[in-house]
């Protein structure tokens, strides 16, 4: 009975020949509050506003060219701040998958812009490559800080949950990225190295590779045009004999599982790997 009464509109006539009608939701201090105290409207409105802002910033962040990934992350933080507004009020809604999906819809677009990734790229790979934690964890971290938790401890908890999710969940997705970047905190807290359009294609496996193009029916074959092996990121960058000279002069003998150690050890190694990927991606057909 209470639930049904909440759905009905109530009209109150005042003594000044005017009426007041109840609404489904009201906006108070920037937060939409519904009759049943759910926050669905607020989440939807936040996503709409975030997508509009993302579209505006997208003109400043084209996939090819534009600012580097560090600058993109700063610009993206504007959208995250808007999405996270009032998190202590609605954060418990993130316990349900359908509400997480609503917020992930907007945050995904931000991560793709930051790392210059293809739209078909998996969300979990985009989050790691761009260095942006899953939205649910960012919301939890904001709430923990609001409730008095030390920022460093809240950040530590967020990274621990992110690493656990990265290792144990969605094993069928982003498997190639997981091989290259096993430790998300080490990757996100690096002090050098920018990701870009070409490097993100390599790190994600979503790009100008036969394995990807055939999967999305953009090409009839997934074979390498040089050696007829399957054209994957691992093959073209680490194995294909066509680029032996470039590979030996830049990274030497490095396996995918050891790539993070190699490029995170110093800026020079990152630059060498970046140049190799750029040459390979711009030369291959």
């Amino acid at each position: 009975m209470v639930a049904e009464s909440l759905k009905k509109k109530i009209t109150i006539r005042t003594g000044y020949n005017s009426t007041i009608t109840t609404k489904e939701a009201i906006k108070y201090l920037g937060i939409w509050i519904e009759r049943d105290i759910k926050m669905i409207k607020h989440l939807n409105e936040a996503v709409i506003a975030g997508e509009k802002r993302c579209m505006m910033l997208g003109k400043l962040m084209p996939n090819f060219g534009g600012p580097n990934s560090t600058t993109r992350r700063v610009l993206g933080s504007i959208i995250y701040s808007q999405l996270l507004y009032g998190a202590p009020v609605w954060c418990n809604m993130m316990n349900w998958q359908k509400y997480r999906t609503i917020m992930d819809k907007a945050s995904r677009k931000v991560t793709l812009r930051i790392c210059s990734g293809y739209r078909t790229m998996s969300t979990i790979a985009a989050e790691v490559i761009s260095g942006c934690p899953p939205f649910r964890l960012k919301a939890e971290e904001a709430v923990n800080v609001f409730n008095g938790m030390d920022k460093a401890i809240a950040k530590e908890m967020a990274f621990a949950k992110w690493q656990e999710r990265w290792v144990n969940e969605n094993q069928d997705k982003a498997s190639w990225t997981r091989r290259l970047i096993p430790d998300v905190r080490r990757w996100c807290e690096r002090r050098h190295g920018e990701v870009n359009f070409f490097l993100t294609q390599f790190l994600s496996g979503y790009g100008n590779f036969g394995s990807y193009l055939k999967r999305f029916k953009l090409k009839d074959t997934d074979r390498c045009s040089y050696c007829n092996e399957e054209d994957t990121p691992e093959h073209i960058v680490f194995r294909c004999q066509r680029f032996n000279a470039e590979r030996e002069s830049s990274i030497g003998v490095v396996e995918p599982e050891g790539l993070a150690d190699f490029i995170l050890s110093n800026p020079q190694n990152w630059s060498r790997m970046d140049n190799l990927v750029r040459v390979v991606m711009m030369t291959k057909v």
Side-chain angles (χ1 to χ4, degrees):
M1 294 294 291
V2 175
E4 288 296 325
S5 63
L6 287 174
K7 296 179 181 179
K8 296 180 180 179
K9 287 187 177 181
I10 301 174
T11 300
I12 302 175
R13 187 177 300 277
T14 69
Y16 297 95
N17 295 323
S18 60
T19 59
I20 301 174
T21 303
T22 58
K23 296 183 178 180
E24 296 295 327
I26 61 171
K27 190 175 184 181
Y28 180 69
L29 297 179
I31 298 177
W32 285 97
I33 304 174
E34 298 170 83
R35 288 184 181 184
D36 52 7
I37 316 300
K38 290 184 178 179
M39 306 300 298
I40 300 176
K41 182 174 178 61
H42 176 79
L43 299 184
N44 285 327
E45 292 293 332
V47 167
I48 292 173
E51 288 183 336
K52 288 181 179 179
R53 189 67 58 84
C54 188
M55 188 177 299
M56 294 169 60
L57 291 178
K59 298 177 181 179
L60 303 176
M61 300 187 288
N63 273 356
F64 189 73
N68 60 32
S69 58
T70 299
T71 304
R72 289 168 181 260
R73 196 175 297 110
V74 173
L75 293 173
S77 66
I78 299 172
I79 302 173
Y80 274 115
S81 297
Q82 187 173 23
L83 293 175
L84 289 169
Y85 179 76
V89 178
W90 52 257
C91 186
N92 63 317
M93 301 294 288
M94 295 295 98
N95 293 327
W96 287 272
Q97 179 61 46
K98 62 180 180 179
Y99 301 125
R100 292 200 297 270
T101 301
I102 292 175
M103 301 307 285
D104 286 342
K105 180 182 178 182
S107 62
R108 168 182 167 79
K109 293 183 178 181
V110 182
T111 59
L112 290 176
R113 283 296 182 180
I114 291 173
C115 68
S116 304
Y118 279 31
R119 288 181 297 175
T120 49
M121 186 174 163
S122 68
T123 300
I124 57 174
E127 290 168 345
V128 171
I129 294 173
S130 65
C132 297
F135 186 81
R136 179 185 184 183
L137 298 183
K138 292 181 73 70
E140 289 180 359
E141 181 181 352
V143 172
N144 286 335
V145 173
F146 176 82
N147 291 331
M149 182 180 292
D150 182 78
K151 289 185 178 180
I153 296 177
K155 185 177 181 180
E156 181 71 31
M157 289 177 59
F159 267 119
K161 290 183 178 180
W162 191 9
Q163 180 65 35
E164 183 179 3
R165 172 185 173 179
W166 180 237
V167 172
N168 298 321
E169 297 182 17
N170 300 304
Q171 290 297 314
D172 58 328
K173 295 182 180 180
S175 57
W176 169 245
T177 307
R178 195 176 288 107
R179 286 180 64 189
L180 300 176
I181 310 174
D183 189 335
V184 295
R185 179 162 193 167
R186 186 184 179 196
W187 175 264
C188 294
E189 294 188 342
R190 66 184 187 276
R191 296 190 176 183
H192 65 265
E194 304 287 349
V195 295
N196 52 56
F197 180 58
F198 297 111
L199 199 56
T200 292
Q201 289 184 62
F202 163 68
L203 293 172
S204 65
Y206 287 73
N208 186 26
F209 306 103
S211 56
Y212 169 83
L213 296 175
K214 184 180 180 182
R215 174 185 172 190
F216 287 91
K217 300 180 180 180
L218 299 173
K219 196 174 181 180
D220 295 331
T221 178
D222 61 357
R223 299 292 102 179
C224 173
S225 60
Y226 182 82
C227 58
N228 206 38
E229 295 290 332
E230 184 181 8
D231 182 14
T232 64
E234 180 174 3
H235 166 73
I236 200 68
V237 175
F238 292 99
R239 313 287 179 225
C240 188
Q241 296 181 5
R242 178 182 182 183
F243 299 103
N244 276 349
E246 292 85 352
R247 189 180 302 115
E248 291 177 4
S249 65
S250 55
I251 66 173
V253 181
V254 177
E255 292 297 316
E257 288 75 11
L259 180 68
D261 288 336
F262 177 77
I263 64 177
L264 296 180
S265 61
N266 58 70
Q268 292 74 27
N269 285 352
W270 182 289
S271 180
R272 293 188 186 103
M273 188 67 200
D274 184 23
N275 291 335
L276 172 62
V277 171
R278 188 179 295 269
V279 168
V280 168
M281 298 300 292
M282 295 184 71
T283 304
K284 74 186 295 294
V285 293

